[in-house]
Amino acid sequence: MTFCLRVSLILLVVGLASAQLSTTFYSSSCPKVFTIIKSVVDSAVSKEARMGASLLHLHFHDCFVNGCDGSVLLDGSTGEKFTGPKANSLRGFEVIDTIKSQVECLCPGVVSCADILTVAAKDSVVALGGPRWSVPLGRRDSTTANQTAVSSNIPPPNSSLSTLITAFSNKGFTAKEMVALLGSHTIGQSRCKVFRSRIYNETNINAQFATSVKSKCPSTDGDGDDNLSPLDVTSPTLFDNAYFKNLQSQKGLLHSDQELFNGGSTDGQVNAYSTNSASFFRDFANAMVKMGNLSPLTGANGQIRTNCRKAN
């Protein structure tokens, strides 16, 4: 505690006049923030590779609901984490809590939860072998969540291709950028409850793959609902382009995954990324920067939450 209190007053200067995100936003006010975030993320991912995907998922969920404002981290009965198609699937909150505690100790009242989540998502991708990119910073935190906006903004796992294209288009993304972002499913896992219908009822699925997944996911609702299967059966803990190769072989775990390669307008992009991982990495990184720019609170808007789970 003594260490935490021994902080120069200059660290309290946040730069409220700025309304633009900048990669150098914390260069003077909290230059060690990146080291802290990377250290905690690397430790969490080394203990459980799935956590990398979970932190990336959190960032996606945050940005698609009212912009990248840290609202997904808020607790309470009206919290975004408790509703919509991804209800009870969001995780990684404790990792963000750990980062926030360490950052607050060093730079109290300076670094937003929204920025921490954005950097943690990038560091998670890097920790699992994915691309690096510079993260523009300067977001501030919302004081409320918007539970009602979750279902209308987060496309469910049974989405058709047209539904996916519309959902991403509503956020300013092209179909190509959408395919790149959904390539994040090259890491992570999903619950049996989410993909049961696909493996038992759909025909555009590799038979051997379906049989293998059925061994972990009984056909009866309520039986094994929380059993997990990797979204990328080939290299589930490595951020690579195997996800697209799996789609070509009809090994998409989610209905929405396979929709990207099912005789529709995005088949060509899947083919392109399946043979060119460098192109996928580049487009994914650019799309992540674009996603991080979705309606952030800046300047005098919002606040810097001391506890990411509740407003000050």
Side-chain angles (χ1 to χ4, degrees):
M1 179 61 68
T2 302
F3 170 76
C4 293
L5 293 176
R6 221 176 331 151
V7 184
S8 171
L9 288 177
I10 193 170
L11 294 180
L12 299 178
V13 178
V14 182
L16 294 179
S18 173
Q20 294 287 329
L21 300 184
S22 167
T23 57
T24 60
F25 191 81
Y26 297 114
S27 60
S28 297
S29 58
C30 194
K32 293 184 179 180
V33 63
F34 302 105
T35 301
I36 293 173
I37 296 175
K38 184 179 187 303
S39 175
V40 175
V41 169
D42 285 351
S43 176
V45 173
S46 68
K47 293 176 183 176
E48 181 196 15
R50 182 189 175 203
M51 186 55 68
S54 297
L55 292 170
L56 180 58
H57 186 191
L58 268 185
H59 178 48
F60 167 82
H61 193 292
D62 185 40
C63 292
F64 264 58
V65 180
N66 281 13
C68 309
D69 58 3
S71 59
V72 71
L73 303 172
L74 290 168
D75 282 341
S77 59
T78 59
E80 296 166 11
K81 63 178 77 171
F82 303 115
T83 190
K86 304 294 180 69
N88 301 317
S89 68
L90 298 178
R91 56 198 299 276
F93 301 101
E94 294 80 6
V95 177
I96 300 301
D97 290 341
T98 299
I99 295 171
K100 182 60 173 176
S101 176
Q102 293 186 21
V103 171
E104 280 297 303
C105 181
L106 186 65
C107 313
V110 172
V111 183
S112 68
C113 298
D115 274 350
I116 287 174
L117 183 53
T118 307
V119 177
K122 182 265 294 182
D123 285 344
S124 294
V125 170
V126 174
L128 293 174
R132 301 174 183 271
W133 62 92
S134 297
V135 181
L137 299 166
R139 300 166 191 79
R140 289 168 63 82
D141 300 320
S142 65
T143 57
T144 59
N146 191 339
Q147 193 176 71
T148 58
V150 175
S151 295
S152 60
N153 286 275
I154 303 294
N158 63 348
S159 294
S160 65
L161 179 59
S162 61
T163 297
L164 290 171
I165 290 175
T166 298
F168 279 79
S169 176
N170 287 342
K171 301 299 179 182
F173 292 104
T174 65
K176 180 180 180 180
E177 290 170 329
M178 175 195 74
V179 174
L181 287 172
L182 289 177
S184 63
H185 284 184
T186 189
I187 54 175
Q189 302 183 64
S190 184
R191 295 183 298 157
C192 165
K193 181 179 181 179
V194 175
F195 58 80
R196 175 182 284 121
S197 179
R198 167 154 168 75
I199 63 173
Y200 284 100
N201 301 321
E202 298 183 11
T203 57
N204 61 338
I205 187 168
N206 180 282
Q208 289 184 329
F209 171 67
T211 298
S212 174
V213 178
K214 286 175 182 177
S215 67
K216 308 173 187 176
C217 183
S219 60
T220 306
D221 287 348
D223 189 3
D225 281 1
D226 292 329
N227 291 352
L228 298 171
S229 240
L231 291 163
D232 171 3
V233 67
T234 304
S235 49
T237 61
L238 180 64
F239 195 100
D240 57 15
N241 67 338
Y243 167 79
F244 301 108
K245 297 177 183 179
N246 292 336
L247 297 184
Q248 291 174 317
S249 302
Q250 295 190 319
K251 294 180 182 178
L253 183 65
L254 307 182
H255 175 86
S256 54
D257 286 331
Q258 197 59 57
E259 281 290 283
L260 297 184
F261 192 83
N262 193 38
S265 60
T266 54
D267 282 15
Q269 195 56 55
V270 170
N271 287 333
Y273 287 151
S274 72
T275 59
N276 192 333
S277 60
S279 173
F280 165 50
F281 276 24
R282 181 185 63 249
D283 291 350
F284 178 81
N286 289 336
M288 285 297 293
V289 172
K290 185 173 179 178
M291 188 172 76
N293 285 328
L294 288 177
S295 305
L297 297 174
T298 59
N301 296 316
Q303 61 180 216
I304 305 298
R305 295 202 300 263
T306 302
N307 181 335
C308 290
R309 294 177 180 265
K310 62 182 181 180
N312 295 343

